[in-house]
Amino acid sequence: MSSIATVLLYVAVAGLVLYRVVYKQVRGTLLDRKSLVTLPLLLVVVGGYLTLKALPGASAAELGFLGVDLVLLAGLGVLRSTTTTLTVRAGTTFQKGSAVTIGLWVLTIGVRAGLVALATALGVAGPLSSASIALTVGVSIAVQNATTYRRIQLAGLPLADRGSARVSR
């Protein structure tokens, strides 16, 4: 993938995540099954494909950094989920984030950037480090959404199908 295409992919992923996840969580959003699955699935599929393409040239150290990245970002996904409030609105679950949620998103971005910077400083960053960004962010959001889904189930809150959750707040 050319460097221009890579930069455009990163900008697209960042824009999508900032709007679909961060902005909507802070302002609050009605949840449904499709909204919990679609974005993380898309990011994991695209990121998985790009990561697989970069694997043949990856060193063991780079694979290690990817593993650490995935574990840390998944853990932050669990934490972000626990900072949102879940209530019933319009026949489904309404999720609203907090200042702590925003702080954890900033920390998530900082951890990802910090690991890439550390790998670069140690001379082990390569194509895998940049190719895996969609995968790592997708896994983080998938874990966050899975944790949120579990919280919804444990609380006995309703979760509408796609069409019935389109009522405004």
Side-chain angles (χ1 to χ4, degrees):
M1 180 180 283
S2 74
S3 61
I4 293 174
T6 302
V7 169
L8 290 176
L9 175 65
Y10 292 163
V11 169
V13 167
L16 188 63
V17 168
L18 283 173
Y19 173 72
R20 294 285 302 165
V21 179
V22 180
Y23 172 74
K24 288 183 99 180
Q25 280 178 9
V26 171
R27 131 187 117 100
T29 189
L30 296 172
L31 297 178
D32 57 56
R33 285 173 182 82
K34 185 175 179 183
S35 69
L36 289 172
V37 172
T38 304
L39 179 62
L41 181 62
L42 175 68
L43 289 171
V44 168
V45 167
V46 169
Y49 172 76
L50 294 172
T51 299
L52 285 173
K53 283 182 62 174
L55 276 180
S59 67
E62 201 174 2
L63 289 171
F65 270 98
L66 176 60
V68 169
D69 197 3
L70 287 168
V71 169
L72 289 175
L73 268 59
L76 286 166
V78 171
L79 289 176
R80 286 191 313 269
S81 174
T82 64
T83 66
T84 63
T85 57
L86 302 173
T87 56
V88 177
R89 195 178 287 184
T92 192
T93 299
F94 180 78
Q95 174 183 254
K96 183 160 179 43
S98 65
V100 176
T101 311
I102 295 170
L104 287 170
W105 269 111
V106 170
L107 181 60
T108 299
I109 294 163
V111 164
R112 177 61 161 103
L115 283 172
V116 171
L118 178 60
T120 301
L122 295 174
V124 296
L128 183 61
S129 298
S130 59
S132 62
I133 188 168
L135 175 66
T136 58
V137 172
V139 166
S140 188
I141 295 169
V143 170
Q144 177 180 347
N145 288 358
T147 304
T148 298
Y149 180 78
R150 181 74 177 139
R151 289 177 59 216
I152 290 167
Q153 296 300 311
L154 289 173
L157 297 170
L159 191 59
D161 290 323
R162 184 61 165 173
S164 57
R166 291 190 179 204
V167 179
S168 67
R169 304 182 298 147

